[in-house]
Amino acid sequence: KGRIASDTGELIWEANGEGTGLMTINTPRLQAAIGWLGGRKVKLDDVAIEVETPFCAVSVISTDGKPISQSENLLIVAAARCANRGMVWNEERTSIGDRWGEPPILIEPVEGEISLHRQTGSPPLTFFALDGAGRPKGEGQTSSSFRLSREYGTVWYVARVH
């Protein structure tokens, strides 16, 4: 129980009982929330995350070296449970040994909303879901927020100047 923070305040672990653990990373170029996010709104410096998926990890990463609020290319990863078809855990659920299973990877989609705070004058971003090869799916959506949805069938998204 309680809260533990790094000396810079960029990493925070909080838990107030079973099913409440949450870790956040809050740096200029990487902002993320990992843990029991469902039904909560997590506000970081430039990213707000509000998802329905109970336990997941959502991260926003600047891939052009600029802070998220100014970046022209962001990678968004939203992952919950993922496993190969046929993967088998041991009884303690600590190892799969050599029982890795096989493709395809089965994913529990993360559903919810990602909102970005952009610095005044920064160009607008267009959000795209990415396919398994990292190619954009569909036309994209230009906005300051994006709805993560099971309809995309992915854990990978990009937001970029289009």
Side-chain angles (χ1 to χ4, degrees), residues 7 9 24 38 46 50-51 64 80 83 100 105 113 117 127 131 140 149:
D7 58 349
T24 57
D46 304 305
E50 191 167 7
V51 297
D64 60 10
W100 287 93
I105 296 174
E113 183 116 355
H117 170 72
F127 290 85
D131 67 15
S149 174

Side-chain angles (χ1 to χ4, degrees), residues 36-158:
W36 294 99
L37 301 179
R40 297 164 87 166
K41 185 166 191 171
V42 178
K43 290 184 181 183
L44 303 166
D45 287 347
D46 304 305
V47 176
I49 301 164
E50 191 167 7
V51 297
E52 294 89 44
T53 308
F55 188 89
C56 58
V58 178
S59 57
V60 178
I61 305 113
S62 170
T63 62
D64 60 10
K66 297 177 185 175
I68 289 172
S69 65
Q70 301 167 27
S71 179
E72 296 183 9
N73 200 52
L74 299 169
L75 175 64
I76 300 163
V77 182
R81 292 178 290 183
C82 302
N84 283 335
R85 183 182 306 270
M87 191 171 85
V88 180
W89 288 90
N90 65 5
E91 281 187 39
E92 296 81 26
R93 203 156 167 77
T94 57
S95 175
I96 57 174
D98 62 355
R99 299 179 298 187
W100 287 93
E102 56 190 42
I105 296 174
L106 306 174
I107 66 167
E108 176 186 3
V110 174
E111 298 202 78
E113 183 116 355
I114 299 270
S115 300
L116 301 175
H117 170 72
R118 302 287 289 158
Q119 187 175 54
T120 303
S122 293
L125 297 174
T126 302
F127 290 85
F128 296 90
L130 300 177
D131 67 15
R135 293 181 300 252
K137 298 165 109 176
E139 294 297 312
Q141 186 179 65
T142 302
S143 176
S144 62
S145 64
F146 181 72
R147 178 89 186 147
L148 304 168
S149 174
R150 73 178 46 253
E151 74 182 72
Y152 298 118
T154 188
V155 299
W156 304 95
Y157 302 86
V158 68

